Amino acid sequence: RADTCTYNAVISACEKGRNWQMALQVMQIMRDKGIALNTITYSSAISACEKCGQWQVALRLFNEMREEGVTANAITYTAVISGCKKAGQWQTALQLLDYMQDEGVTVDTMVYTEVIGACKKAKQWQQAVQLLRDMQENSVPATPITYNEVISACAVCGIFKVTLQLMEEMRSKGLGVQTVTYSSVITSCEKAGQWQRALQLLEEMQRTGIPMDTITYSTAISACHKAGQWERAVQLVDDMQKKGVPANTITYNAAISACERGRQWQHALQLMHDMQEKGIPLNTITYSAAISACEKVKQWQMALQLLKEMQKKGIPADTIVYSAAVSACEKAGQWQMAMLLMASMQDKGIPADTITYNAVISACEKGGQWQRALQLMKDMQGKGVPADTITYSTAISACGKGGQWQRALQLMKDMQGKGV
């Protein structure tokens, strides 16, 4: 006759095969036959649920075993906490940690690291740091993985000073500072706008012989982009090539965006050309940044060429892409082309926002098309697109240029009435 051990072996096989539903069915058979469920039964089933991302089911089983008086061990707790980590359920993970401590179950490095991981996923960096301090207070050794999780939790929130302190702490404890550590610290600098510190860390990696990978470089390039340091961004892409570090779409997009911000449309196009030569996929963000770079320097024809090229390649154009192309036409006084692009957006079901409408209205204003400007405002109202100060000011200017002073005054009244 099959006993608890036999059924546990079946549930364990389900766990290894990631079949959580079958594991639950076997548990139900055990209940129906009056066969006792023990710690191993529940732990295996909870682990099966955790592996399949079923954290809520895992938690339900955990609560059930406690109600049934079945003892939960370190393996049980680790599995439930791991499920909570994957789902970013940091508060539940902390509660489980409290249960472990209250019940005298040994809380080891792995458990703490998993709870820290849950806090990281939920961007609870302060709680992650506190858990590290709790480990130190309870004499639980922290590994490089533990520190990297805490540093990463701080990094996603841009807390760069804390990440630097933690990295120094790792060094002082003789824990190996790795590429992943530097990548996280550089990420924190990028999010905090500390581009110079990010570059210093790259230099430090090179000096100390720590390998720099695609993520490290891409993050540093993104830091340069945010700070408007396009020359540094392009230089870093060159450094990657010289060192044989592969660049990906994210790397190039960050560099092209840096060129866009620095009004360097030719450099942006060169980077796009490099991507194509290396077989690196171009996406909507790539084209959006390049078109925007052209827009900033009135290269409307090139902007339209890029838009046509992305459509030919089947790369989807969104509101941002079209708005940049429309703005390029507006800056060059190409009101008819701006109107055509707006019509193309409507045909493709791409929604025009306030920025898009403002650019087309401005193009009409420059082209002396006051009637079209007013019609566009009417369209905005009909589609529920909010008109802002720029919308009204441009339309008023269009009416002024067309000698339509009464319409201009009416727009001024409407503007004041709507609190714009």
Side-chain angles (χ1 to χ4, degrees), residues 259-270:
C259 292
E260 175 261 327
R261 196 162 180 180
R263 298 171 174 266
Q264 300 296 317
W265 68 280
Q266 289 163 312
H267 281 286
L269 296 184
Q270 183 57 53

Side-chain angles (χ1 to χ4, degrees), residues 331-342:
K331 281 188 169 69
Q334 299 291 322
W335 68 269
Q336 289 157 310
M337 191 55 72
M339 293 288 291
L340 283 172
L341 287 170
M342 175 75 87

Side-chain angles (χ1 to χ4, degrees), residues 47 90 181 230 293 399:
S47 185
W90 66 281
T181 317
W230 70 270
C399 291

Side-chain angles (χ1 to χ4, degrees), residues 30-103:
M30 290 176 76
R31 289 189 194 95
D32 294 343
K33 292 189 174 181
I35 297 166
L37 283 73
N38 63 15
T39 304
I40 296 167
T41 319
Y42 276 103
S43 295
S44 297
I46 287 168
S47 185
C49 294
E50 177 269 318
K51 284 181 178 175
C52 300
Q54 297 293 320
W55 72 273
Q56 288 165 309
V57 180
L59 192 61
R60 179 171 59 78
L61 288 171
F62 172 77
N63 289 328
E64 184 187 296
M65 77 184 285
R66 293 185 86 215
E67 284 167 16
E68 295 293 326
V70 180
T71 306
N73 61 17
I75 295 166
T76 322
Y77 274 105
T78 305
V80 187
I81 288 169
S82 184
C84 292
K85 172 196 165 183
K86 286 175 183 172
Q89 296 294 317
W90 66 281
Q91 289 165 310
T92 308
L94 284 173
Q95 191 176 34
L96 289 163
L97 184 64
D98 287 341
Y99 286 159
M100 286 184 81
Q101 290 166 334
D102 291 345
E103 290 169 18

Side-chain angles (χ1 to χ4, degrees), residues 176-219:
V177 176
Q178 307 152 323
T179 304
V180 67
T181 317
Y182 271 99
S183 290
S184 291
V185 180
I186 290 169
T187 296
S188 72
C189 293
E190 180 258 342
K191 290 195 180 297
Q194 297 288 322
W195 67 275
Q196 289 161 309
R197 184 59 68 90
L199 295 185
Q200 283 170 8
L201 288 163
L202 266 186
E203 288 167 13
E204 192 178 294
M205 288 179 80
Q206 194 171 356
R207 198 170 57 250
T208 53
I210 294 169
M212 294 175 280
D213 62 9
T214 308
I215 296 168
T216 320
Y217 268 108
S218 297
T219 311

Side-chain angles (χ1 to χ4, degrees), residues 357-358 360-366 368-378 380 387-420:
Y357 272 103
N358 284 352
V360 184
I361 291 168
S362 181
C364 292
E365 182 263 341
K366 283 179 180 174
Q369 300 293 315
W370 65 270
Q371 289 157 309
R372 292 181 192 277
L374 294 182
Q375 184 56 53
L376 286 162
M377 282 198 77
K378 194 176 177 183
M380 287 179 80
D388 61 12
T389 308
I390 295 167
T391 320
Y392 275 102
S393 299
T394 312
I396 288 165
S397 178
C399 291
K401 283 182 179 178
Q404 301 294 315
W405 62 272
Q406 288 173 311
R407 293 179 194 274
L409 283 173
Q410 186 57 52
L411 284 169
M412 184 72 78
K413 285 178 185 174
D414 290 348
M415 189 177 174
Q416 290 168 343
K418 289 176 182 173
V420 178

